[in-house]
Amino acid sequence: MLGLAVALSAILSCGEKISSHGSGSSFVFTDDSDNITATSARLHAHYVGTEIEGDNVGVICDKDGKLNASKSPRVSSVPGEDGKFYVTFFDLTPDTVYEYMAYAKADGKEYYGKKKSFRTQGIPVTSVTVTAPATILYMEDNKPMELTVKVLPENANQQVTWTSSNDKIATVSSTGVVTGKSGGEVTITATSVQTSSKYGSCKISVKSVPPAGAIDLGLPSGRYWRNCNLGANNASQRGDYYAWAEISSKSSFTEGNYKWKSTTHIMYEKYQGSYSSSYGDGDHLTYLRQADYEDDAARQKLGGTWRIPSAADWFELRTNCTLTKVSGGIKFTAKNKDRRGQYNEIILPFGGYKLESAMQYPDSGYYGENQGYYWGDEVRYRWYNASPDNFSAMMSFIKFGSECNAGDEWKCRYYGAMIRPVCD
């Protein structure tokens, strides 16, 4: 016997006349139920009159609105002196609607009160857990992802309602099947129908069909790196040089021709840090162009979801690839297989950064021209020679001496550097 918890039905106003003997007459009435638990309920009734004897009164009870007076389970009860009686039904199903009515026998006939109903209590849900077979849904596979939900305890109502945090990225069916719609991250949630405060969720990264030139390096984030620099035609070319947050390349890089220059030399006109008297690096501003792609050269030149890498992107690349020297640059070979079982690679060519029109190799004494500088998506505020300085931005570098080396440095925003795009 199954069901859901609801309020009791309204009180019945009257019963049916059951017999007439001499000057007396009797009626039977179905009353409210009480002591309702998940598996039992006490059902009340009463009769009016004096012609009922023995066990000729009782209650009929059945579930799901299928009450049949001649077939449904019934329990007899000895009537009390005041005509009231009750019957307790056990082994009921939690969270289920039942119908019941009183009956009485007289003159070889059976008579009934009006139908009433009750609902057993549900077993409280303690937890809902959602499990995905993978963290990334690749739209190019043209296959949905089926999620698994576990509701505890197991004898509680197992029904859940599925929702997606963004139907434009992915939808979810009533059975937990996720279908990708566009690239991005989405949260899928299963909420208990029995106890709405109990729910579980999981995050899924939906990958659009990758654009041309996207390389899957098996990174934990699932991010793609481009096979060549911005403005290059192949992996060995340096491509174009850009000042930070400028979308057009140029041949000479000075503070005077920087798009966001400031006459104060302290704060630039855009992407300003917070003034602070703290020492050291002070306040960092990270991922500034994530919501401001109008200043992202990669997005403006390539479209789609291409963008300049963040500091986290560069760190992930370095820590999940093996670096080896090749002609004119450094090869990054994936430590993890892509989803097709391949260890892919990209090559970052050497090339210093530019100040005015001259190429700069700051560690030329040791590395010579075996150096390469690439913009990252981060600027910072710091103290510089006892004055506030907000014109430095992150450059990721590659270098080769006795071994390959990669890391981050801070350079003036108006310097020129290469860009290696990434896409989500």
Side-chain angles (χ1 to χ4, degrees):
M1 296 184 178
L2 308 171
L4 302 171
V6 295
L8 294 175
S9 60
I11 297 176
L12 183 66
S13 60
C14 64
E16 290 191 26
K17 183 177 180 180
I18 60 172
S19 68
S20 178
H21 293 273
S23 60
S25 63
S26 299
F27 296 84
V28 65
F29 297 84
T30 308
D31 297 330
D32 281 338
S33 51
D34 64 6
N35 286 14
I36 299 173
T37 70
T39 58
S40 66
R42 186 168 62 185
L43 312 180
H44 291 266
H46 74 280
Y47 68 92
V48 177
T50 59
E51 304 302 327
I52 306 296
E53 296 181 357
D55 61 355
N56 290 328
V57 294
V59 175
I60 302 169
C61 184
D62 202 3
K63 66 171 180 174
D64 300 332
K66 299 177 181 179
L67 187 60
N68 184 306
S70 62
K71 297 180 180 180
S72 298
R74 63 188 62 204
V75 175
S76 297
S77 174
V78 177
E81 293 181 359
D82 58 358
K84 294 181 179 181
F85 59 96
Y86 67 86
V87 174
T88 300
F89 280 78
F90 296 96
D91 298 324
L92 303 180
T93 301
D95 211 5
T96 302
V97 175
Y98 289 87
E99 286 189 341
Y100 69 100
M101 63 183 176
Y103 73 89
K105 298 176 183 178
D107 297 332
K109 297 181 179 181
E110 195 167 85
Y111 301 88
Y112 309 99
K114 300 293 185 180
K115 289 182 182 180
K116 300 194 78 170
S117 66
F118 67 93
R119 191 184 290 266
T120 50
Q121 296 179 359
I123 301 295
V125 172
T126 58
S127 67
V128 178
T129 305
V130 176
T131 304
T135 58
I136 302 174
L137 173 60
Y138 293 92
M139 291 179 61
E140 64 179 309
D141 291 341
N142 199 28
K143 293 181 180 179
M145 177 185 291
E146 186 171 358
L147 306 183
T148 302
V149 63
K150 185 174 184 179
V151 179
L152 294 178
E154 293 181 354
N155 61 344
N157 191 323
Q158 297 293 301
Q159 290 182 301
V160 296
T161 300
W162 292 94
T163 55
S164 168
S165 63
N166 191 334
D167 287 339
K168 293 182 179 180
I169 295 176
T171 58
V172 60
S173 73
S174 60
T175 57
V177 177
V178 180
T179 302
K181 298 297 183 181
S182 64
E185 188 172 79
V186 66
T187 299
I188 305 297
T189 301
T191 302
S192 167
V193 171
Q194 167 67 31
T195 310
S196 60
S197 61
K198 300 298 181 180
Y199 56 88
S201 60
C202 66
K203 288 185 178 181
I204 297 173
S205 293
V206 180
K207 294 294 180 185
S208 301
V209 176
I215 304 297
D216 183 356
L217 295 169
L219 300 174
S221 68
R223 195 148 294 128
Y224 300 111
W225 283 73
R226 196 162 186 256
N227 60 357
C228 62
N229 288 353
L230 189 62
N233 296 316
N234 56 61
S236 63
Q237 292 180 349
R238 295 172 178 172
D240 297 325
Y241 279 70
Y242 296 84
W244 195 86
E246 290 188 355
I247 62 173
S248 298
S249 61
K250 52 192 179 184
S251 58
S252 180
F253 295 84
T254 67
E255 187 173 20
N257 67 12
Y258 183 53
K259 180 177 181 179
W260 308 110
K261 66 183 177 180
S262 169
T263 57
T264 65
H265 193 70
I266 296 174
M267 304 286 279
Y268 283 131
E269 294 178 4
K270 195 171 185 181
Y271 305 109
Q272 297 181 2
S274 301
Y275 184 84
S276 171
S277 60
S278 61
Y279 293 97
D281 287 344
D283 298 325
H284 284 226
L285 299 179
T286 58
Y287 312 132
L288 285 178
R289 283 194 298 269
Q290 298 303 304
D292 198 359
Y293 291 116
E294 65 180 4
D295 301 321
D296 189 317
R299 176 64 60 88
Q300 294 301 315
K301 299 295 184 182
L302 301 176
T305 60
W306 289 110
R307 59 177 176 80
I308 294 175
S310 67
D313 294 332
W314 281 110
F315 180 79
E316 181 184 50
L317 177 69
R318 293 194 298 264
T319 55
N320 287 275
C321 290
T322 300
L323 279 61
T324 54
K325 171 70 166 56
V326 294
S327 177
I330 290 179
K331 179 171 66 176
F332 288 69
T333 304
K335 295 179 181 179
N336 308 311
K337 295 179 181 179
D338 68 4
R339 59 198 178 89
R340 294 186 173 87
Q342 303 297 317
Y343 291 100
N344 295 321
E345 61 190 33
I346 61 173
I347 296 175
L348 296 182
F350 293 133
Y353 60 84
K354 287 187 176 181
L355 175 57
E356 296 183 346
S357 58
M359 195 77 76
Q360 305 293 316
Y361 296 98
D363 294 323
S364 59
Y366 181 74
Y367 293 104
E369 295 186 1
N370 291 329
Q371 305 176 52
Y373 289 84
Y374 294 80
W375 281 126
D377 193 11
E378 183 174 335
V379 292
R380 71 174 180 178
Y381 177 91
R382 66 169 182 160
W383 283 87
Y384 180 74
N385 292 335
S387 298
D389 162 25
N390 195 46
F391 59 83
S392 59
M394 190 198 82
M395 279 189 190
S396 284
F397 64 78
I398 56 171
K399 299 178 181 179
F400 178 76
S402 58
E403 59 184 19
C404 294
N405 186 16
D408 301 324
E409 292 182 359
W410 296 93
K411 302 296 183 184
C412 294
R413 299 190 207 181
Y414 59 83
Y415 289 179
M418 296 176 287
I419 292 177
R420 175 56 66 94
V422 298
C423 69
D424 299 304

